[in-house]
Amino acid sequence: KNEIHITLKQKEQSLNLEVTNTKEEQPVKPKEDGGIGLKNIRRRLELLYNTQYELLIDNRSDYFKVYLSIPIA
């Protein structure tokens, strides 16, 4: 039974998104920096926000969590 939790908050001049999904426990294989999809996301964020964003990815054996903070005007 897997679950997805999504939290979206505005804090001062930023929009913060956190998504967590549970998964079947399995050993986490170390990767360089994710697949091509994650590289594309990071590149797009760089193009849009330069260094003004924060992206954290936590891939554990039983869950996957992504935190993204971007500036809003």
Side-chain angles (χ1 to χ4, degrees), residues 2-60:
N2 292 321
E3 298 177 1
I4 297 174
H5 298 274
I6 301 171
T7 305
L8 184 64
K9 295 180 182 177
Q10 178 182 347
K11 185 175 179 183
E12 298 175 12
Q13 298 298 316
S14 66
L15 184 63
N16 303 317
L17 171 68
E18 184 174 290
V19 179
T20 304
N21 68 281
T22 59
K23 59 184 183 177
E24 303 280 330
E25 274 201 55
Q26 52 187 295
V28 176
K29 297 177 185 175
K31 292 185 177 181
E32 291 176 16
D33 194 21
I36 192 164
L38 293 177
K39 288 179 185 176
N40 285 340
I41 289 171
R42 289 182 195 278
R43 181 66 181 136
R44 286 176 181 237
L45 288 168
E46 280 179 25
L47 291 171
L48 290 169
Y49 302 106
N50 196 10
T51 60
Q52 302 296 314
Y53 74 94
E54 182 177 11
L55 177 64
L56 305 172
I57 299 172
D58 187 6
N59 187 9
R60 305 265 175 128

